[in-house]
Amino acid sequence: MVVCQLDVHLFTNDLQKFGEYGLSYIGAPWITETWMFDHIHKIKSYRRVKLWNCLFKRRVISNMRFDVGNGGLSIRNIKNCFWVTLLGRLVIPFKDIHKMNEDVYFSVYAVYLFPFFKSADRKIAASFSIEKNPELAYLLNEKMPMGVHAWEKYGNEFWGKQIFR
């Protein structure tokens, strides 16, 4: 499934290529964002998460990536998103799961809790979509991504040159 909000500009149509990666979630990378670490600490504090990891003999991996991706222009594997949404209700307290945006849930919580849920690495994500810090994200590929989300909000000057040349 492709999510393409109204403030997206597409440069190319490479959906076939990104679908062939077989990932659960691809969204714009969060470049230089630190707020997600608050979520990571929160996940580790839940008693149910500790029990979940113990039951399934999951080791907490310290080098996991939580830097992909914003959902304004994103690809989501429907089956995997369905399962992590259903199973997440067993692990994360109901009061907390409804306070977050779905892209944060998929790219931080689901990636942490469910080994089958795979998100793109930064390079793939930046070649698919860019949102914040476009100059830095552009350096990951040194070419235009398939599309850009919220271009008027983040990097209007940078994207304006690319879109209106």
Side-chain angles (χ1 to χ4, degrees):
M1 173 175 76
V2 176
V3 173
C4 183
Q5 293 179 352
L6 295 175
D7 58 347
V8 165
H9 179 84
L10 295 175
F11 294 106
T12 65
N13 181 3
D14 293 334
L15 282 176
Q16 181 76 32
K17 176 179 92 172
F18 291 103
E20 290 170 359
Y21 285 119
L23 297 166
S24 305
Y25 186 83
I26 306 174
W30 287 311
I31 307 290
T32 70
E33 299 289 323
T34 57
W35 55 264
M36 81 250 324
F37 293 111
D38 294 336
H39 285 283
I40 294 165
H41 294 300
K42 190 177 222 180
I43 294 170
K44 291 178 181 179
S45 73
Y46 292 140
R47 277 188 241 140
R48 291 181 192 170
V49 169
K50 291 175 184 172
L51 177 62
W52 179 267
N53 286 338
C54 184
L55 284 173
F56 293 98
K57 296 182 175 33
R58 268 204 79 225
R59 288 191 202 125
V60 177
I61 302 166
S62 60
N63 63 348
M64 292 181 75
R65 292 183 341 273
F66 299 103
D67 54 359
V68 174
N70 180 274
L73 175 60
S74 58
I75 296 177
R76 304 164 190 211
N77 177 301
I78 294 171
K79 184 173 96 178
N80 290 354
C81 288
F82 169 80
W83 282 109
V84 298
T85 303
L86 187 68
L87 294 170
R89 292 171 172 251
L90 301 172
V91 182
I92 299 170
F94 184 78
K95 66 179 176 54
D96 290 338
I97 208 165
H98 291 284
K99 291 180 184 174
M100 68 184 85
N101 293 338
E102 91 291 347
D103 55 358
V104 173
Y105 176 74
F106 290 137
S107 49
V108 178
Y109 288 72
V111 168
Y112 178 83
L113 291 170
F114 307 105
F116 68 88
F117 196 84
K118 307 287 185 206
S119 69
D121 63 30
R122 275 186 172 196
K123 190 161 179 70
I124 292 172
S127 67
F128 174 71
S129 175
I130 293 176
E131 188 197 51
K132 293 182 178 179
N133 301 303
E135 294 87 353
L136 292 174
Y138 181 81
L139 290 175
L140 289 171
N141 285 328
E142 299 179 357
K143 64 179 184 175
M144 282 293 117
M146 188 183 97
V148 57
H149 174 241
W151 67 272
E152 290 179 310
K153 186 175 180 181
Y154 304 109
N156 187 0
E157 188 175 317
F158 178 83
W159 290 120
K161 291 175 188 173
Q162 306 300 326
I163 294 170
F164 300 113
R165 14 175 166 160

